[in-house]
PDB file of all heavy atoms in Angstrom:
ATOM      1  N   LYS A  53      23.210 -27.162  15.006  1.00 95.00           N
ATOM      2  CA  LYS A  53      22.736 -26.261  16.048  1.00 95.00           C
ATOM      3  C   LYS A  53      22.646 -27.044  17.336  1.00 95.00           C
ATOM      4  O   LYS A  53      22.029 -28.109  17.343  1.00 95.00           O
ATOM      5  CB  LYS A  53      21.330 -25.730  15.702  1.00 95.00           C
ATOM      6  CG  LYS A  53      21.246 -24.948  14.422  1.00 95.00           C
ATOM      7  CD  LYS A  53      21.793 -23.548  14.561  1.00 95.00           C
ATOM      8  CE  LYS A  53      22.161 -22.932  13.228  1.00 95.00           C
ATOM      9  NZ  LYS A  53      21.096 -23.032  12.227  1.00 95.00           N
ATOM     10  N   ARG A  56      19.326 -27.240  22.841  1.00 97.00           N
ATOM     11  CA  ARG A  56      19.255 -26.560  24.140  1.00 97.00           C
ATOM     12  C   ARG A  56      18.603 -27.424  25.204  1.00 97.00           C
ATOM     13  O   ARG A  56      18.861 -27.246  26.392  1.00 97.00           O
ATOM     14  CB  ARG A  56      18.455 -25.263  24.012  1.00 97.00           C
ATOM     15  CG  ARG A  56      18.945 -24.343  22.953  1.00 97.00           C
ATOM     16  CD  ARG A  56      20.053 -23.464  23.445  1.00 97.00           C
ATOM     17  NE  ARG A  56      20.453 -22.528  22.424  1.00 97.00           N
ATOM     18  CZ  ARG A  56      21.370 -21.600  22.576  1.00 97.00           C
ATOM     19  NH1 ARG A  56      22.018 -21.500  23.725  1.00 97.00           N
ATOM     20  NH2 ARG A  56      21.675 -20.788  21.601  1.00 97.00           N
ATOM     21  N   ASN A  77      -4.665  -7.970  28.489  1.00 87.00           N
ATOM     22  CA  ASN A  77      -5.706  -7.053  28.094  1.00 87.00           C
ATOM     23  C   ASN A  77      -5.439  -5.674  28.628  1.00 87.00           C
ATOM     24  O   ASN A  77      -5.671  -4.676  27.970  1.00 87.00           O
ATOM     25  CB  ASN A  77      -7.015  -7.511  28.730  1.00 87.00           C
ATOM     26  CG  ASN A  77      -7.943  -7.988  27.687  1.00 87.00           C
ATOM     27  OD1 ASN A  77      -8.194  -7.278  26.737  1.00 87.00           O
ATOM     28  ND2 ASN A  77      -8.428  -9.199  27.857  1.00 87.00           N
ATOM     29  N   ARG A  79      -3.420  -2.751  29.314  1.00 87.00           N
ATOM     30  CA  ARG A  79      -2.289  -2.087  28.682  1.00 87.00           C
ATOM     31  C   ARG A  79      -1.026  -2.129  29.536  1.00 87.00           C
ATOM     32  O   ARG A  79       0.088  -2.278  29.038  1.00 87.00           O
ATOM     33  CB  ARG A  79      -2.713  -0.630  28.506  1.00 87.00           C
ATOM     34  CG  ARG A  79      -1.985   0.082  27.471  1.00 87.00           C
ATOM     35  CD  ARG A  79      -2.627  -0.113  26.120  1.00 87.00           C
ATOM     36  NE  ARG A  79      -1.666   0.218  25.103  1.00 87.00           N
ATOM     37  CZ  ARG A  79      -0.886  -0.674  24.567  1.00 87.00           C
ATOM     38  NH1 ARG A  79      -0.973  -1.927  24.917  1.00 87.00           N
ATOM     39  NH2 ARG A  79      -0.020  -0.320  23.651  1.00 87.00           N
ATOM     40  N   GLU A 116       3.880 -24.165  39.313  1.00 96.00           N
ATOM     41  CA  GLU A 116       4.307 -25.564  39.328  1.00 96.00           C
ATOM     42  C   GLU A 116       4.794 -26.010  37.945  1.00 96.00           C
ATOM     43  O   GLU A 116       5.850 -26.622  37.806  1.00 96.00           O
ATOM     44  CB  GLU A 116       3.150 -26.472  39.784  1.00 96.00           C
ATOM     45  CG  GLU A 116       2.892 -26.454  41.276  1.00 96.00           C
ATOM     46  CD  GLU A 116       4.101 -26.925  42.083  1.00 96.00           C
ATOM     47  OE1 GLU A 116       4.736 -27.906  41.672  1.00 96.00           O
ATOM     48  OE2 GLU A 116       4.410 -26.293  43.107  1.00 96.00           O
ATOM     49  N   GLN A 120       8.547 -27.270  36.799  1.00 95.00           N
ATOM     50  CA  GLN A 120       8.798 -28.531  36.103  1.00 95.00           C
ATOM     51  C   GLN A 120       9.561 -28.299  34.805  1.00 95.00           C
ATOM     52  O   GLN A 120      10.364 -29.102  34.394  1.00 95.00           O
ATOM     53  CB  GLN A 120       7.482 -29.233  35.789  1.00 95.00           C
ATOM     54  CG  GLN A 120       6.770 -29.749  37.017  1.00 95.00           C
ATOM     55  CD  GLN A 120       5.465 -30.422  36.673  1.00 95.00           C
ATOM     56  OE1 GLN A 120       5.263 -30.854  35.547  1.00 95.00           O
ATOM     57  NE2 GLN A 120       4.575 -30.511  37.636  1.00 95.00           N
ATOM     58  N   GLU A 259     -13.566   4.791  32.458  1.00 96.00           N
ATOM     59  CA  GLU A 259     -14.963   4.392  32.588  1.00 96.00           C
ATOM     60  C   GLU A 259     -15.780   5.512  33.226  1.00 96.00           C
ATOM     61  O   GLU A 259     -16.887   5.812  32.796  1.00 96.00           O
ATOM     62  CB  GLU A 259     -15.079   3.118  33.446  1.00 96.00           C
ATOM     63  CG  GLU A 259     -14.564   1.840  32.768  1.00 96.00           C
ATOM     64  CD  GLU A 259     -15.453   1.400  31.600  1.00 96.00           C
ATOM     65  OE1 GLU A 259     -16.622   1.827  31.522  1.00 96.00           O
ATOM     66  OE2 GLU A 259     -14.961   0.618  30.751  1.00 96.00           O
ATOM     67  N   ASN A 262     -16.280   8.232  30.693  1.00 95.00           N
ATOM     68  CA  ASN A 262     -17.360   7.842  29.780  1.00 95.00           C
ATOM     69  C   ASN A 262     -18.716   8.029  30.437  1.00 95.00           C
ATOM     70  O   ASN A 262     -19.666   8.508  29.825  1.00 95.00           O
ATOM     71  CB  ASN A 262     -17.201   6.371  29.374  1.00 95.00           C
ATOM     72  CG  ASN A 262     -16.549   6.229  28.014  1.00 95.00           C
ATOM     73  OD1 ASN A 262     -16.106   7.208  27.437  1.00 95.00           O
ATOM     74  ND2 ASN A 262     -16.497   5.010  27.500  1.00 95.00           N
ATOM     75  N   TYR A 288      -5.002   9.609  23.208  1.00 94.00           N
ATOM     76  CA  TYR A 288      -6.120   9.792  22.279  1.00 94.00           C
ATOM     77  C   TYR A 288      -7.413  10.176  22.976  1.00 94.00           C
ATOM     78  O   TYR A 288      -8.470  10.219  22.363  1.00 94.00           O
ATOM     79  CB  TYR A 288      -6.348   8.517  21.465  1.00 94.00           C
ATOM     80  CG  TYR A 288      -5.118   8.080  20.719  1.00 94.00           C
ATOM     81  CD1 TYR A 288      -4.479   6.896  21.047  1.00 94.00           C
ATOM     82  CD2 TYR A 288      -4.586   8.873  19.702  1.00 94.00           C
ATOM     83  CE1 TYR A 288      -3.339   6.504  20.369  1.00 94.00           C
ATOM     84  CE2 TYR A 288      -3.445   8.491  19.034  1.00 94.00           C
ATOM     85  CZ  TYR A 288      -2.827   7.306  19.365  1.00 94.00           C
ATOM     86  OH  TYR A 288      -1.700   6.924  18.715  1.00 94.00           O
ATOM     87  N   ARG A 290      -9.872  12.633  25.233  1.00 92.00           N
ATOM     88  CA  ARG A 290     -10.118  14.025  25.590  1.00 92.00           C
ATOM     89  C   ARG A 290     -11.312  14.120  26.509  1.00 92.00           C
ATOM     90  O   ARG A 290     -12.294  13.407  26.297  1.00 92.00           O
ATOM     91  CB  ARG A 290     -10.343  14.861  24.324  1.00 92.00           C
ATOM     92  CG  ARG A 290      -9.033  15.358  23.725  1.00 92.00           C
ATOM     93  CD  ARG A 290      -9.274  16.120  22.467  1.00 92.00           C
ATOM     94  NE  ARG A 290      -9.841  15.298  21.430  1.00 92.00           N
ATOM     95  CZ  ARG A 290      -9.114  14.532  20.614  1.00 92.00           C
ATOM     96  NH1 ARG A 290      -7.819  14.483  20.713  1.00 92.00           N
ATOM     97  NH2 ARG A 290      -9.704  13.805  19.708  1.00 92.00           N
TER      98      ARG A 290
ATOM     99  N   LYS B  53       7.776 -34.262  41.185  1.00 95.00           N
ATOM    100  CA  LYS B  53       7.264 -33.627  39.966  1.00 95.00           C
ATOM    101  C   LYS B  53       8.170 -34.048  38.821  1.00 95.00           C
ATOM    102  O   LYS B  53       9.386 -33.906  38.934  1.00 95.00           O
ATOM    103  CB  LYS B  53       7.327 -32.097  40.087  1.00 95.00           C
ATOM    104  CG  LYS B  53       6.539 -31.515  41.225  1.00 95.00           C
ATOM    105  CD  LYS B  53       5.057 -31.475  40.949  1.00 95.00           C
ATOM    106  CE  LYS B  53       4.218 -31.367  42.206  1.00 95.00           C
ATOM    107  NZ  LYS B  53       4.636 -30.276  43.089  1.00 95.00           N
ATOM    108  N   ARG B  56      10.294 -31.960  33.137  1.00 96.00           N
ATOM    109  CA  ARG B  56       9.842 -31.825  31.744  1.00 96.00           C
ATOM    110  C   ARG B  56      11.002 -31.729  30.775  1.00 96.00           C
ATOM    111  O   ARG B  56      10.857 -32.091  29.605  1.00 96.00           O
ATOM    112  CB  ARG B  56       8.995 -30.567  31.581  1.00 96.00           C
ATOM    113  CG  ARG B  56       7.854 -30.459  32.539  1.00 96.00           C
ATOM    114  CD  ARG B  56       6.656 -31.206  32.015  1.00 96.00           C
ATOM    115  NE  ARG B  56       5.532 -31.016  32.916  1.00 96.00           N
ATOM    116  CZ  ARG B  56       4.339 -31.525  32.721  1.00 96.00           C
ATOM    117  NH1 ARG B  56       4.111 -32.278  31.665  1.00 96.00           N
ATOM    118  NH2 ARG B  56       3.370 -31.298  33.569  1.00 96.00           N
ATOM    119  N   ASN B  77       3.205  -3.573  22.064  1.00 87.00           N
ATOM    120  CA  ASN B  77       2.758  -2.212  22.188  1.00 87.00           C
ATOM    121  C   ASN B  77       1.452  -2.004  21.482  1.00 87.00           C
ATOM    122  O   ASN B  77       0.568  -1.303  21.943  1.00 87.00           O
ATOM    123  CB  ASN B  77       3.769  -1.306  21.495  1.00 87.00           C
ATOM    124  CG  ASN B  77       4.476  -0.460  22.486  1.00 87.00           C
ATOM    125  OD1 ASN B  77       3.830   0.192  23.291  1.00 87.00           O
ATOM    126  ND2 ASN B  77       5.784  -0.504  22.452  1.00 87.00           N
ATOM    127  N   ARG B  79      -1.936  -2.824  20.544  1.00 87.00           N
ATOM    128  CA  ARG B  79      -3.072  -3.484  21.176  1.00 87.00           C
ATOM    129  C   ARG B  79      -3.462  -4.785  20.475  1.00 87.00           C
ATOM    130  O   ARG B  79      -3.829  -5.766  21.102  1.00 87.00           O
ATOM    131  CB  ARG B  79      -4.246  -2.517  21.073  1.00 87.00           C
ATOM    132  CG  ARG B  79      -5.279  -2.726  22.037  1.00 87.00           C
ATOM    133  CD  ARG B  79      -4.971  -2.007  23.325  1.00 87.00           C
ATOM    134  NE  ARG B  79      -5.764  -2.599  24.371  1.00 87.00           N
ATOM    135  CZ  ARG B  79      -5.336  -3.557  25.134  1.00 87.00           C
ATOM    136  NH1 ARG B  79      -4.116  -4.003  25.012  1.00 87.00           N
ATOM    137  NH2 ARG B  79      -6.117  -4.082  26.055  1.00 87.00           N
ATOM    138  N   GLU B 116      15.572 -19.366  14.892  1.00 96.00           N
ATOM    139  CA  GLU B 116      16.666 -20.303  15.149  1.00 96.00           C
ATOM    140  C   GLU B 116      16.727 -20.705  16.623  1.00 96.00           C
ATOM    141  O   GLU B 116      16.836 -21.884  16.956  1.00 96.00           O
ATOM    142  CB  GLU B 116      18.008 -19.672  14.732  1.00 96.00           C
ATOM    143  CG  GLU B 116      18.245 -19.656  13.236  1.00 96.00           C
ATOM    144  CD  GLU B 116      18.273 -21.065  12.644  1.00 96.00           C
ATOM    145  OE1 GLU B 116      18.858 -21.964  13.266  1.00 96.00           O
ATOM    146  OE2 GLU B 116      17.678 -21.265  11.569  1.00 96.00           O
ATOM    147  N   GLN B 120      16.207 -24.410  18.331  1.00 95.00           N
ATOM    148  CA  GLN B 120      17.182 -25.013  19.237  1.00 95.00           C
ATOM    149  C   GLN B 120      16.529 -25.401  20.555  1.00 95.00           C
ATOM    150  O   GLN B 120      16.891 -26.382  21.183  1.00 95.00           O
ATOM    151  CB  GLN B 120      18.325 -24.040  19.519  1.00 95.00           C
ATOM    152  CG  GLN B 120      19.201 -23.784  18.310  1.00 95.00           C
ATOM    153  CD  GLN B 120      20.311 -22.795  18.611  1.00 95.00           C
ATOM    154  OE1 GLN B 120      20.674 -22.606  19.751  1.00 95.00           O
ATOM    155  NE2 GLN B 120      20.837 -22.164  17.587  1.00 95.00           N
ATOM    156  N   GLU B 259      -4.319   8.823  15.232  1.00 96.00           N
ATOM    157  CA  GLU B 259      -3.365   9.916  15.015  1.00 96.00           C
ATOM    158  C   GLU B 259      -3.990  10.988  14.129  1.00 96.00           C
ATOM    159  O   GLU B 259      -3.859  12.182  14.387  1.00 96.00           O
ATOM    160  CB  GLU B 259      -2.076   9.388  14.376  1.00 96.00           C
ATOM    161  CG  GLU B 259      -1.209   8.542  15.304  1.00 96.00           C
ATOM    162  CD  GLU B 259      -0.558   9.361  16.414  1.00 96.00           C
ATOM    163  OE1 GLU B 259      -0.479  10.598  16.290  1.00 96.00           O
ATOM    164  OE2 GLU B 259      -0.152   8.749  17.428  1.00 96.00           O
ATOM    165  N   ASN B 262      -6.524  12.911  16.132  1.00 95.00           N
ATOM    166  CA  ASN B 262      -5.831  13.890  16.976  1.00 95.00           C
ATOM    167  C   ASN B 262      -5.373  15.087  16.159  1.00 95.00           C
ATOM    168  O   ASN B 262      -5.494  16.231  16.573  1.00 95.00           O
ATOM    169  CB  ASN B 262      -4.594  13.245  17.617  1.00 95.00           C
ATOM    170  CG  ASN B 262      -4.864  12.816  19.050  1.00 95.00           C
ATOM    171  OD1 ASN B 262      -6.003  12.873  19.505  1.00 95.00           O
ATOM    172  ND2 ASN B 262      -3.830  12.378  19.749  1.00 95.00           N
ATOM    173  N   TYR B 288     -13.153   4.406  24.425  1.00 94.00           N
ATOM    174  CA  TYR B 288     -12.971   5.647  25.176  1.00 94.00           C
ATOM    175  C   TYR B 288     -12.713   6.860  24.287  1.00 94.00           C
ATOM    176  O   TYR B 288     -12.366   7.923  24.765  1.00 94.00           O
ATOM    177  CB  TYR B 288     -11.809   5.490  26.158  1.00 94.00           C
ATOM    178  CG  TYR B 288     -11.986   4.328  27.094  1.00 94.00           C
ATOM    179  CD1 TYR B 288     -11.143   3.231  27.031  1.00 94.00           C
ATOM    180  CD2 TYR B 288     -13.026   4.319  28.020  1.00 94.00           C
ATOM    181  CE1 TYR B 288     -11.318   2.154  27.882  1.00 94.00           C
ATOM    182  CE2 TYR B 288     -13.216   3.252  28.870  1.00 94.00           C
ATOM    183  CZ  TYR B 288     -12.355   2.168  28.803  1.00 94.00           C
ATOM    184  OH  TYR B 288     -12.536   1.109  29.635  1.00 94.00           O
ATOM    185  N   ARG B 290     -13.731   9.668  21.419  1.00 92.00           N
ATOM    186  CA  ARG B 290     -14.858  10.368  20.825  1.00 92.00           C
ATOM    187  C   ARG B 290     -14.364  11.350  19.779  1.00 92.00           C
ATOM    188  O   ARG B 290     -13.345  12.011  20.005  1.00 92.00           O
ATOM    189  CB  ARG B 290     -15.645  11.101  21.920  1.00 92.00           C
ATOM    190  CG  ARG B 290     -16.664  10.192  22.577  1.00 92.00           C
ATOM    191  CD  ARG B 290     -17.408  10.926  23.647  1.00 92.00           C
ATOM    192  NE  ARG B 290     -16.527  11.294  24.745  1.00 92.00           N
ATOM    193  CZ  ARG B 290     -16.221  10.474  25.756  1.00 92.00           C
ATOM    194  NH1 ARG B 290     -16.722   9.266  25.799  1.00 92.00           N
ATOM    195  NH2 ARG B 290     -15.427  10.884  26.708  1.00 92.00           N
TER     196      ARG B 290
END
Side-chain angles (χ1 to χ4, degrees):
Chain A
K53 299 283 160 50
R56 306 275 184 178
N77 248 307
R79 202 87 199 92
E116 283 299 318
Q120 291 179 21
E259 289 291 341
N262 261 7
Y288 304 114
R290 274 178 296 276
Chain B
K53 300 283 160 51
R56 307 275 184 179
N77 248 308
R79 203 86 199 93
E116 284 299 319
Q120 292 179 22
E259 289 290 342
N262 260 8
Y288 304 113
R290 274 180 294 276

